[in-house]
Amino acid sequence: MHVELLVVGGGPAALAAATSYRDHGGRGAVVLVSDDSAPPYFRPPLSKGYLRGESEAGDTELTPATTYTNRGITLLLRQGVTTLSAGDRAAQLSGGARITFKACVLATGSAPKPLPVPGADAPAVAMLRSLASAEQLRAAARTARSAVVVGSGFIGCEAAASLARRGLDVTVVSAEDLPQEKRLGADAGRRIAGWLAEDGVTLIGGVQVEAIEPLGDPDQRPRRVRVSGRDPLEADLVLVAGGIDPNVTLARAAGLRVEQDRVVVDEHMRASVPGLYAAGDVAYARNATAGRHLVVEHWGEAEAMGTVAGGVAAGADLRWDAVPGFWTEIGDRTLKYAAWGDGYDRARLVDHGGGAFTVWYADEQGRAVGVATHEADEDYERGSELVAAGKPIPDVATVTEE
């Protein structure tokens, strides 16, 4: 089979690439290959509304099933690309088919990062990345009375708050003293920790998980979590939320340039081999406004990168140039964050009262490199503009070192 565009992946970057190709005049055959069992779906609710039981699987679909037929996109599910020949522009599918292509977008996404301790890889230890894994976690939460969440990143905090709102006794254990302290700083970390506490979540920071052991039957979920310097924690349910690993194996084997464990692409999402593109978690993309390559793991940016990749494959002149941003919902609180994401030198928290706040992030010269807000939308919008323009954050002279 020969196609004009082959898209490998089943997330937002993949769907955006396929539809953008059509939106920008691409008329050839399009095939989207995904190893998932479900058509592309919205993943953010999996740790929030879906986990709490407030929405169902059908509510997470990114687009109606008719879209694929109407836009002339062939969707192949439960299949992966086993080999990719960049020189021949050919892909071998796990189902046996061989596809040649004019252009290929790698939107292979990422997988949950395994916890390198004994017992963490047991099937009874939950990880959250796919709809299928979310279904299993939600089913387990119906009968569980307690949970330990390993990791205080956004997925970990979101899931912990959701499980607590289901009535579980939840403990979060993390190597960081405060949630997201490395990325967002201590001030924002203390606010997030406060949100978790308000929802009844116990936070144990600054510790290492040493092992996860079964309590009785090794096939059942109750586990004992051994933590450095503390008594073991026992829970009906253990969720590991320790970050992600980009699915870059296929790209490496195809000979594409890889850095930061991601496929290096320019602002047009073009990889090092003509005709190949990458978008989403798997891409180490150059942002035209930032003037450098960035590691970005945000849902919205995956969609934006996919739109660029598909459009460029169709002949359009598109580039990735927006300031990356995302929202996270922890319980009923929304944190909005926009930043280049590759570090800051100084941060300043502004308390607006009533729980609302803004954290401004600056480099050594006082130029804005990020902003995080809660119930301060004007600052979020203004912050994005300041970051894009490289202008100073407000009251830069009062910024203090963290």
Side-chain angles (χ1 to χ4, degrees):
M1 177 193 302
H2 179 78
V3 301
E4 290 295 294
L5 179 66
L6 172 66
V7 182
V8 185
L15 179 60
T19 55
S20 179
Y21 178 78
R22 290 289 186 233
D23 291 341
H24 291 90
R27 298 184 180 279
V30 177
V31 170
L32 192 158
V33 180
S34 171
D35 59 6
D36 208 314
S37 60
Y41 50 87
F42 196 43
R43 282 182 169 85
L46 301 184
S47 58
K48 300 188 279 285
Y50 182 81
L51 181 54
R52 294 194 295 268
E54 299 168 357
S55 62
E56 299 302 325
D59 301 326
T60 67
E61 292 181 356
L62 278 174
T63 191
T66 54
T67 297
Y68 304 99
T69 302
N70 294 342
R71 304 302 302 274
I73 300 169
T74 300
L75 178 62
L76 301 179
L77 299 177
R78 300 182 182 87
Q79 292 198 58
V81 174
T82 56
T83 58
L84 182 69
S85 173
D88 295 336
R89 297 199 183 186
Q92 183 66 45
L93 274 55
S94 59
R98 184 176 185 270
I99 297 178
T100 58
F101 54 84
K102 180 179 180 181
C104 174
V105 177
L106 293 177
T108 46
S110 55
K113 187 186 292 292
L115 190 65
V117 302
D121 59 350
V125 176
M127 300 184 86
L128 181 58
R129 189 61 182 172
S130 66
L131 180 58
S133 66
E135 290 172 345
Q136 294 172 358
L137 179 61
R138 189 167 81 161
R142 292 191 185 102
T143 56
R145 292 189 294 180
S146 60
V148 169
V149 177
V150 181
S152 62
F154 291 120
I155 296 297
C157 289
E158 290 169 358
S162 295
L163 291 169
R165 291 189 173 216
R166 290 194 66 120
L168 278 69
D169 182 4
V170 181
T171 299
V172 171
V173 295
S174 173
E176 291 189 287
D177 291 327
L178 295 166
Q180 288 293 300
E181 184 173 8
K182 182 178 180 181
R183 180 188 296 202
L184 301 179
D187 286 329
R190 280 188 285 268
R191 296 296 177 115
I192 297 172
W195 294 346
L196 293 174
E198 289 173 8
D199 278 342
V201 176
T202 299
L203 173 65
I204 301 175
V207 298
Q208 298 291 332
V209 173
E210 298 175 336
I212 302 176
E213 304 167 342
L215 284 173
D217 189 336
D219 295 328
Q220 299 303 310
R221 288 192 177 273
R223 300 276 134 170
R224 177 184 296 110
V225 181
R226 295 197 176 276
V227 181
S228 59
R230 301 182 62 96
D231 292 335
L233 303 169
E234 296 184 358
D236 298 327
L237 175 62
V238 175
L239 169 65
V240 173
I244 63 170
D245 283 330
N247 293 324
V248 75
T249 302
L250 188 65
R252 284 187 188 278
L256 301 187
R257 182 183 169 197
V258 173
E259 293 181 12
Q260 302 284 329
D261 288 328
R262 290 166 169 83
V263 182
V264 178
V265 295
D266 64 12
E267 61 264 41
H268 307 291
M269 301 301 119
R270 295 178 298 208
S272 57
V273 175
L276 270 73
Y277 305 78
D281 288 353
V282 77
Y284 185 41
R286 185 181 188 275
N287 184 285
T289 302
R292 59 188 183 274
H293 287 76
L294 302 174
V295 171
V296 179
E297 300 169 355
H298 312 330
W299 178 269
E301 297 314 312
E303 197 168 49
M305 290 180 189
T307 297
V308 171
V312 171
D317 182 17
L318 304 180
R319 64 179 190 167
W320 182 51
D321 56 8
V323 177
F326 71 93
W327 300 3
T328 179
E329 297 175 6
I330 300 172
D332 56 4
R333 310 157 194 93
T334 301
L335 180 74
K336 299 182 180 182
Y337 176 67
W340 294 132
D342 51 1
Y344 61 91
D345 295 298
R346 293 171 287 176
R348 174 177 179 253
L349 178 123
V350 179
D351 191 327
H352 304 298
F357 67 87
T358 300
V359 181
W360 298 98
Y361 302 94
D363 63 12
E364 289 182 338
Q365 288 74 42
R367 295 172 301 198
V369 294
V371 63
T373 67
H374 172 57
E375 296 183 352
D377 288 350
E378 289 186 4
D379 279 355
Y380 177 74
E381 298 298 334
R382 181 187 181 194
S384 297
E385 295 171 359
L386 294 177
V387 172
K391 292 183 177 180
I393 66 172
D395 300 324
V396 66
T398 66
V399 174
T400 57
E401 298 279 351
E402 285 215 10

